[in-house]
Amino acid sequence: DAGVIQSPRHEVTEMGQEVTLRCKPISGHNSLFWYRQTMMRGLELLIYFNNNVPIDDSGMPEDRFSAKMPNASFSTLKIQPSEPRDSAVYFCASTQWTGGDQPQHFGDGTRLSIL
Amino acid sequence: AQTVTQSQPEMSVQEAETVTLSCTYDTSESNYYLFWYKQPPSRQMILVIRQEAYKQQNATENRFSVNFQKAAKSFSLKISDSQLGDTAMYFCAFMKPGSGNTGKLIFGQGTTLQVKP
């Protein structure tokens, strides 16, 4: 079975540019999570969706960050304009949430470098 | 609010030996789930083991086992017969069940484990 698919795997861009990260969750999963990982802050939950609806976006650092889930098989995380401090590894994870101990399945992450 | 604390930023162990990684958490819930994830240098996040708070028996997955102490709110991971491939960052995570939480995990800061030959 295909896992969570993220693209691109690496992204290098200049400050001020728009960045779009993409995620395809595992088919049939109903919850999707976006995380950011840095040395300083560790693993931070940015936003998560259930049945394509944003449930909690309190982890989104600034208005420059936005996320969408137009359908059950696709989500994007956008940064506009990007800044060097946005450099991090961004993970997408999904789970088939039924109230129990279903674990989250992670993609391989996107390493973002803002110059 | 729930918090998860991993007090050991870095650890090392000789190959074939046993190592224990510590994790404590804070919650007022009576039932919940706990997880250990492994992140090797390839940066994948891999589920290692999980435990439900209502289950008294400690979970075991091959060389990986946990010591779950509910009263102490402690959830340590023991790796037996350590292998070079166990070198990774290990994250402890907490999940509160129930329809309002949709599978949200709260992660600790991580422990970097180095297995030495």
Side-chain angles (χ1 to χ4, degrees):
Chain A
D1 290 341
V4 176
I5 299 172
Q6 290 186 247
S7 64
R9 186 156 172 81
H10 303 277
E11 173 89 10
V12 181
T13 192
E14 291 188 349
M15 175 179 173
Q17 296 297 308
E18 178 178 291
V19 173
T20 299
L21 310 181
R22 297 172 176 80
C23 176
K24 177 179 169 57
I26 293 173
S27 178
H29 282 192
N30 61 358
S31 288
L32 182 141
F33 304 81
W34 282 101
Y35 292 90
R36 178 172 69 176
Q37 186 177 30
T38 61
M39 290 290 290
M40 292 297 293
R41 293 176 173 269
L43 200 61
E44 301 174 275
L45 176 64
L46 300 177
I47 185 171
Y48 69 102
F49 296 84
N50 181 249
N51 293 324
N52 312 337
V53 176
I55 302 300
D56 184 353
D57 65 354
S58 60
M60 297 286 262
E62 299 172 37
D63 292 344
R64 299 184 295 105
F65 286 70
S66 62
K68 294 182 180 180
M69 191 164 186
N71 57 62
S73 59
F74 184 66
S75 177
T76 59
L77 178 67
K78 187 174 293 186
I79 308 172
Q80 168 63 21
S82 58
E83 296 184 5
R85 60 195 167 118
D86 302 331
S87 297
V89 178
Y90 290 81
F91 286 99
C92 175
S94 70
T95 187
Q96 176 53 38
W97 174 249
T98 58
D101 66 342
Q102 296 80 23
Q104 292 183 16
H105 299 264
F106 284 76
D108 289 343
T110 295
R111 181 175 295 280
L112 177 63
S113 297
I114 307 297
L115 305 177
Chain B
Q2 289 82 14
T3 58
V4 178
T5 303
Q6 295 178 247
S7 59
Q8 305 151 313
E10 297 180 353
M11 296 187 71
S12 64
V13 64
Q14 291 296 133
E15 194 176 9
E17 293 186 349
T18 296
V19 63
T20 299
L21 281 58
S22 301
C23 172
T24 58
Y25 56 92
D26 187 25
T27 184
S28 58
E29 303 291 329
S30 59
N31 193 29
Y32 45 85
Y33 304 101
L34 297 163
F35 302 82
W36 278 98
Y37 278 85
K38 167 185 176 181
Q39 187 180 37
S42 64
R43 83 172 185 237
Q44 290 175 302
M45 289 286 283
I46 303 164
L47 177 67
V48 175
I49 200 165
R50 63 181 123 173
Q51 174 85 38
E52 182 176 359
Y54 267 129
K55 293 184 178 178
Q56 294 188 344
Q57 186 174 6
N58 289 323
T60 299
E61 289 287 343
N62 301 312
R63 297 182 296 106
F64 298 87
S65 61
V66 299
N67 183 6
F68 173 50
Q69 301 289 328
K70 191 173 183 180
K73 296 180 183 176
S74 172
F75 182 60
S76 59
L77 176 69
K78 185 171 83 170
I79 306 174
S80 304
D81 186 25
S82 298
Q83 301 177 358
L84 296 178
D86 296 333
T87 292
M89 180 170 280
Y90 288 81
F91 291 94
C92 178
F94 172 99
M95 179 194 291
K96 186 171 75 171
S99 60
N101 296 292
T102 62
K104 176 182 174 180
L105 287 172
I106 299 168
F107 283 93
Q109 307 93 314
T111 296
T112 299
L113 176 67
Q114 176 79 39
V115 179
K116 298 180 179 179

